[in-house]
């Protein structure tokens, strides 16, 4: 590495050639932790937890293994975690001698190979590099990208680290598997993280009563930000749980129509909510918290199969052919007005 350092001065590198995308403005960030693989997990997925005994951050995982996939629901904070990872590696590049490349693959097309996404053309000159890839779920056919990535790694596999983010429901829809990659799941915010973010970002000192009442919404960073702005404008949280659910569900469906998530066509938010309500009513009438895949597709028809697979409010259970609302509260709320 000393010879390389004589040729390339890390301190003179232009960050814009290593970070493809707009670098987010400074924001308050709470550390998220990761727990090693849970024994017996059939999908080989690992879980982010706030364990006092085994506190590990994403960078700990990346430094100790070469190929990682980070899963999570929309708004859970995957992009922010990858941004923090990039900034940490960039700030410590002289110490760690690892050069990070942040790549958003929503510009990937079938005619491109992975190397075309690397803006710094002399990337091979670095002995160690880490490609941070955001948004496997943001391209029409993730399998095309995976094939291109595999081809790339077969040719340039020495001293390369790769971490990829993907929405859990898209990962499950396409049954994605990448050889030799370890999978982790970014979990919800803890109570302490919620309290700290509200206080430091919005100057809100939430009461334990409100924390308990709205936890199901606030544990998701996207919703937490939504509720924080609502509080700042109204000097209070939504007055009723029903109002809170309306705000949360409507805004999550709107989120899926943002440019970041749209692949081919926009989601009809009203129609999507109608389908979710139908499923919730049926589950409540059947006194169950799930619907079998076959029953679901018979209910909604082939034309809405793709739509329901895009919506993360209801998800396919990892170990069966059942669809389950991400929170039982969503099912209860959607059906309450009609039962």
């Amino acid at each position: 590495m000393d010879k390389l350092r004589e040729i390339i001065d890390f301190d003179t590198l232009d960050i814009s050639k290593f970070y493809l995308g707009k670098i987010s403005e400074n924001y308050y960030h709470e550390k998220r932790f990761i727990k090693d693989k849970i024994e017996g997990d059939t999908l080989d997925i690992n879980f982010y937890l706030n364990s006092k005994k085994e506190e590990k951050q994403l960078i700990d995982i990346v430094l100790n293994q070469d190929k990682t996939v980070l899963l999570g629901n929309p708004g859970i904070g995957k992009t922010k975690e990858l941004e923090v990872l990039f900034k940490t590696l960039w700030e410590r590049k002289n110490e760690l001698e690892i050069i990070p490349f942040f790549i958003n693959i929503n510009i990937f097309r079938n005619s491109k190979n992975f190397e075309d996404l690397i803006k710094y053309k002399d990337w091979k000159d670095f002995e160690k590099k880490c490609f941070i890839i955001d948004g496997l779920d943001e391209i029409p056919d993730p399998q095309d990208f995976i094939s291109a990535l595999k081809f790339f790694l077969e040719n340039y596999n020495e001293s390369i680290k790769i971490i990829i983010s993907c929405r859990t429901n898209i990962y499950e829809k396409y049954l994605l598997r990448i050889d030799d990659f370890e999978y982790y799941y970014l979990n919800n915010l803890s109570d302490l993280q919620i309290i700290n973010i509200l206080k430091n970002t919005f100057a809100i000192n939430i009461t334990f009563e409100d924390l308990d009442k709205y936890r199901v919404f606030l544990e998701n960073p996207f919703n937490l930000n939504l509720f924080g702005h609502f509080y700042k404008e109204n000097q209070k949280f939504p007055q009723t749980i029903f109002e809170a659910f309306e705000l949360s569900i409507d805004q999550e469906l709107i989120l899926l129509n943002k440019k970041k998530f749209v692949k081919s066509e926009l989601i009809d938010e009203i129609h999507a909510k109608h389908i979710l309500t139908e499923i919730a009513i049926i589950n409540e009438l059947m006194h169950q918290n799930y619907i079998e895949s076959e029953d679901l597709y018979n209910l909604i028809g082939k034309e809405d199969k793709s739509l329901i697979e895009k919506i993360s409010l209801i998800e396919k259970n990892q170990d069966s052919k059942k669809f389950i609302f991400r929170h039982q509260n969503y099912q209860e709320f959607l059906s309450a007005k009609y039962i």
Side-chain angles (χ1 to χ4, degrees):
M1 176 61 76
D2 290 339
K3 271 189 179 179
L4 180 62
R5 292 301 300 274
E6 292 176 7
I7 302 172
I8 301 175
D9 183 351
F10 287 178
D11 292 327
T12 65
L13 295 175
D14 181 0
I15 192 173
S16 67
K17 296 186 182 299
F18 296 83
Y19 194 107
L20 293 189
K22 183 180 179 181
I23 299 178
S24 297
E25 297 178 359
N26 290 332
Y27 54 85
Y28 177 80
H29 177 259
E30 275 287 314
K31 292 180 180 179
R32 311 287 284 273
F33 301 105
I34 193 167
K35 184 177 179 180
D36 291 340
K37 176 182 173 183
I38 297 175
E39 294 299 326
D41 182 4
T42 57
L43 277 186
D44 197 28
I45 293 178
N46 303 271
F47 291 82
Y48 263 77
L49 298 173
N50 286 310
S51 169
K52 295 293 183 183
K53 297 179 180 178
E54 300 182 61
E55 286 189 344
K56 293 183 181 179
Q57 294 178 253
L58 189 54
I59 189 168
D60 299 319
I61 299 302
V62 171
L63 291 179
N64 286 285
Q65 65 184 44
D66 292 335
K67 301 180 179 69
T68 305
V69 175
L70 179 63
L71 301 174
N73 294 317
I76 200 64
K78 299 184 299 297
T79 297
K80 288 290 187 287
E81 283 303 299
L82 295 186
E83 286 180 357
V84 170
L85 175 64
F86 174 86
K87 290 177 181 178
T88 302
L89 289 174
W90 187 262
E91 290 169 359
R92 297 176 61 186
K93 58 184 179 294
N94 284 299
E95 168 200 348
L96 299 173
E97 298 183 335
I98 298 174
I99 301 300
F101 297 78
F102 191 102
I103 299 174
N104 192 312
I105 58 173
N106 58 8
I107 61 173
F108 178 81
R109 296 293 182 270
N110 294 346
S111 59
K112 288 192 174 185
N113 57 53
F114 181 80
E115 194 169 351
D116 292 332
L117 299 175
I118 307 173
K119 190 173 180 180
Y120 190 86
K121 297 310 177 184
D122 295 325
W123 64 272
K124 297 176 190 174
D125 292 343
F126 303 114
E127 183 176 336
K128 299 178 184 178
K129 39 263 177 189
C130 178
F131 293 104
I132 302 169
I133 303 168
D134 187 30
L136 183 59
D137 50 85
E138 296 173 27
I139 54 178
D141 192 346
Q143 197 60 56
D144 286 341
F145 175 79
I146 290 175
S147 297
L149 179 62
K150 286 181 177 178
F151 180 81
F152 171 79
L153 289 176
E154 287 172 1
N155 290 278
Y156 308 105
N157 204 20
E158 293 184 6
S159 301
I160 289 181
K161 291 181 178 290
I162 302 274
I163 177 167
I164 307 173
S165 74
C166 184
R167 274 191 284 160
T168 307
N169 59 328
I170 298 299
Y171 166 84
E172 292 171 352
K173 173 184 176 181
Y174 290 97
L175 298 176
L176 301 176
R177 286 292 186 279
I178 315 176
D179 295 340
D180 301 324
F181 274 69
E182 295 289 334
Y183 294 80
Y184 296 88
Y185 185 88
L186 187 60
N187 207 0
N188 298 323
L189 295 170
S190 69
D191 285 1
L192 180 58
Q193 289 172 326
I194 292 170
I195 292 169
N196 288 340
I197 293 172
L198 287 174
K199 181 177 180 179
N200 288 282
T201 304
F202 299 99
I204 298 172
N205 292 308
I206 189 170
T207 65
F208 285 107
E209 180 181 1
D210 279 342
L211 177 59
D212 188 53
K213 182 178 181 181
Y214 298 110
R215 181 181 292 109
V216 67
F217 311 105
L218 300 177
E219 62 189 8
N220 177 291
F222 172 77
N223 276 342
L224 185 148
N225 188 60
L226 181 68
F227 274 64
H229 285 295
F230 183 96
Y231 189 100
K232 294 291 284 186
E233 293 175 7
N234 301 279
Q235 298 304 305
K236 60 184 178 182
F237 289 117
Q239 289 187 294
T240 66
I241 289 295
F242 279 88
E243 186 181 352
F245 271 109
E246 286 283 4
L247 179 65
S248 176
I249 292 175
D250 289 347
Q251 289 301 315
E252 182 157 336
L253 292 175
I254 290 172
L255 172 66
L256 294 178
N257 272 337
K258 285 193 173 182
K259 184 178 180 181
K260 175 177 178 179
F261 296 106
V262 175
K263 298 180 183 62
S264 55
E265 58 184 24
L266 296 176
I267 290 174
D268 184 333
E269 296 157 21
I270 296 176
H271 182 55
K273 193 172 180 181
H274 175 74
I275 291 176
L276 291 171
T277 301
E278 281 190 311
I279 297 169
I281 291 172
I282 289 174
N283 285 356
E284 287 294 306
L285 291 176
M286 296 294 292
H287 302 290
Q288 60 192 29
N289 67 345
Y290 64 87
I291 183 170
E292 298 284 353
S293 300
E294 183 177 356
D295 294 334
L296 172 63
Y297 294 135
N298 286 335
L299 171 68
I300 64 176
K302 292 182 180 179
E303 62 276 7
D304 285 324
K305 182 177 184 293
S306 176
L307 172 63
I308 205 68
E309 289 170 343
K310 294 178 182 177
I311 301 171
S312 59
L313 291 164
I314 187 168
E315 302 169 332
K316 190 173 182 181
N317 187 280
Q318 297 170 354
D319 300 318
S320 69
K321 296 182 179 180
K322 299 175 181 178
F323 278 81
I324 301 174
F325 279 92
R326 195 168 75 226
H327 292 294
Q328 178 68 20
N329 310 63
Y330 287 152
Q331 176 177 309
E332 294 172 355
F333 163 73
L334 287 167
S335 63
K337 291 189 291 186
Y338 301 97
I339 296 180

